[in-house]
mmCIF file of all heavy atoms in Angstrom:
data_model
loop_
_atom_site.group_PDB
_atom_site.id
_atom_site.type_symbol
_atom_site.label_atom_id
_atom_site.label_comp_id
_atom_site.label_asym_id
_atom_site.label_seq_id
_atom_site.Cartn_x
_atom_site.Cartn_y
_atom_site.Cartn_z
ATOM 1 N N SER A 99 31.758 -14.727 21.039
ATOM 2 C CA SER A 99 32.274 -14.671 19.633
ATOM 3 C C SER A 99 33.595 -15.556 19.478
ATOM 4 O O SER A 99 33.765 -16.155 18.488
ATOM 5 C CB SER A 99 32.397 -13.239 19.174
ATOM 6 O OG SER A 99 31.077 -12.622 19.194
ATOM 7 N N ASP A 100 34.421 -15.268 20.482
ATOM 8 C CA ASP A 100 35.724 -15.976 20.469
ATOM 9 C C ASP A 100 35.554 -17.477 20.403
ATOM 10 O O ASP A 100 36.220 -18.254 19.692
ATOM 11 C CB ASP A 100 36.564 -15.651 21.685
ATOM 12 C CG ASP A 100 37.162 -14.232 21.452
ATOM 13 O OD1 ASP A 100 37.318 -13.693 20.367
ATOM 14 O OD2 ASP A 100 37.568 -13.585 22.487
ATOM 15 N N TYR A 101 34.736 -18.037 21.216
ATOM 16 C CA TYR A 101 34.445 -19.410 21.340
ATOM 17 C C TYR A 101 33.797 -19.953 20.026
ATOM 18 O O TYR A 101 34.282 -20.951 19.417
ATOM 19 C CB TYR A 101 33.520 -19.768 22.497
ATOM 20 C CG TYR A 101 34.321 -20.009 23.807
ATOM 21 C CD1 TYR A 101 34.119 -19.024 24.832
ATOM 22 C CD2 TYR A 101 35.116 -21.115 23.914
ATOM 23 C CE1 TYR A 101 34.877 -19.128 26.039
ATOM 24 C CE2 TYR A 101 35.825 -21.279 25.175
ATOM 25 C CZ TYR A 101 35.719 -20.360 26.232
ATOM 26 O OH TYR A 101 36.388 -20.442 27.338
ATOM 27 N N VAL A 102 32.743 -19.189 19.541
ATOM 28 C CA VAL A 102 32.026 -19.745 18.444
ATOM 29 C C VAL A 102 32.853 -19.539 17.093
ATOM 30 O O VAL A 102 32.818 -20.359 16.171
ATOM 31 C CB VAL A 102 30.658 -18.925 18.312
ATOM 32 C CG1 VAL A 102 29.963 -19.353 16.977
ATOM 33 C CG2 VAL A 102 29.829 -19.210 19.445
ATOM 34 N N ASP A 103 33.527 -18.449 16.973
ATOM 35 C CA ASP A 103 34.327 -18.189 15.660
ATOM 36 C C ASP A 103 35.663 -18.812 15.706
ATOM 37 O O ASP A 103 36.166 -19.180 14.597
ATOM 38 C CB ASP A 103 34.432 -16.677 15.477
ATOM 39 C CG ASP A 103 33.154 -16.048 15.119
ATOM 40 O OD1 ASP A 103 32.252 -16.762 14.559
ATOM 41 O OD2 ASP A 103 32.965 -14.803 15.247
ATOM 42 N N GLN A 104 36.336 -19.083 16.817
ATOM 43 C CA GLN A 104 37.723 -19.519 16.770
ATOM 44 C C GLN A 104 37.953 -20.787 17.519
ATOM 45 O O GLN A 104 38.454 -21.739 17.017
ATOM 46 C CB GLN A 104 38.589 -18.341 17.420
ATOM 47 C CG GLN A 104 38.514 -17.040 16.698
ATOM 48 C CD GLN A 104 39.378 -15.971 17.261
ATOM 49 O OE1 GLN A 104 40.559 -16.216 17.626
ATOM 50 N NE2 GLN A 104 38.866 -14.719 17.456
ATOM 51 N N ILE A 105 37.598 -20.855 18.801
ATOM 52 C CA ILE A 105 37.955 -21.980 19.667
ATOM 53 C C ILE A 105 37.260 -23.242 19.223
ATOM 54 O O ILE A 105 37.910 -24.334 19.000
ATOM 55 C CB ILE A 105 37.691 -21.664 21.158
ATOM 56 C CG1 ILE A 105 38.523 -20.478 21.538
ATOM 57 C CG2 ILE A 105 38.088 -22.851 22.007
ATOM 58 C CD1 ILE A 105 38.234 -20.007 22.949
ATOM 59 N N PHE A 106 35.861 -23.178 19.148
ATOM 60 C CA PHE A 106 35.185 -24.374 18.740
ATOM 61 C C PHE A 106 35.455 -24.899 17.405
ATOM 62 O O PHE A 106 35.686 -26.061 17.133
ATOM 63 C CB PHE A 106 33.621 -24.097 18.863
ATOM 64 C CG PHE A 106 33.132 -23.978 20.285
ATOM 65 C CD1 PHE A 106 32.028 -23.256 20.594
ATOM 66 C CD2 PHE A 106 33.857 -24.542 21.353
ATOM 67 C CE1 PHE A 106 31.545 -23.232 21.901
ATOM 68 C CE2 PHE A 106 33.419 -24.484 22.620
ATOM 69 C CZ PHE A 106 32.269 -23.785 22.962
ATOM 70 N N PRO A 107 35.597 -24.083 16.287
ATOM 71 C CA PRO A 107 36.097 -24.504 15.024
ATOM 72 C C PRO A 107 37.437 -25.185 15.126
ATOM 73 O O PRO A 107 37.703 -26.182 14.453
ATOM 74 C CB PRO A 107 36.087 -23.314 14.179
ATOM 75 C CG PRO A 107 35.116 -22.293 14.747
ATOM 76 C CD PRO A 107 35.199 -22.562 16.224
ATOM 77 N N PHE A 108 38.361 -24.649 15.863
ATOM 78 C CA PHE A 108 39.636 -25.183 16.039
ATOM 79 C C PHE A 108 39.615 -26.588 16.578
ATOM 80 O O PHE A 108 40.369 -27.509 16.209
ATOM 81 C CB PHE A 108 40.642 -24.322 16.896
ATOM 82 C CG PHE A 108 41.888 -24.934 17.235
ATOM 83 C CD1 PHE A 108 42.947 -24.904 16.267
ATOM 84 C CD2 PHE A 108 42.156 -25.362 18.471
ATOM 85 C CE1 PHE A 108 44.107 -25.485 16.550
ATOM 86 C CE2 PHE A 108 43.415 -25.972 18.788
ATOM 87 C CZ PHE A 108 44.400 -26.020 17.795
ATOM 88 N N LEU A 109 38.696 -26.765 17.701
ATOM 89 C CA LEU A 109 38.597 -28.053 18.234
ATOM 90 C C LEU A 109 37.702 -28.967 17.442
ATOM 91 O O LEU A 109 37.504 -30.154 17.811
ATOM 92 C CB LEU A 109 37.978 -27.827 19.701
ATOM 93 C CG LEU A 109 38.833 -27.103 20.615
ATOM 94 C CD1 LEU A 109 38.020 -26.826 21.874
ATOM 95 C CD2 LEU A 109 40.130 -27.850 20.966
ATOM 96 N N GLY A 110 37.080 -28.570 16.253
ATOM 97 C CA GLY A 110 36.217 -29.371 15.523
ATOM 98 C C GLY A 110 34.865 -29.624 16.140
ATOM 99 O O GLY A 110 34.327 -30.668 15.978
#
Side-chain angles (χ1 to χ4, degrees):
S99 298
D100 284 342
Y101 275 109
V102 174
D103 287 335
Q104 301 178 47
I105 299 174
F106 289 155
F108 173 76
L109 296 173

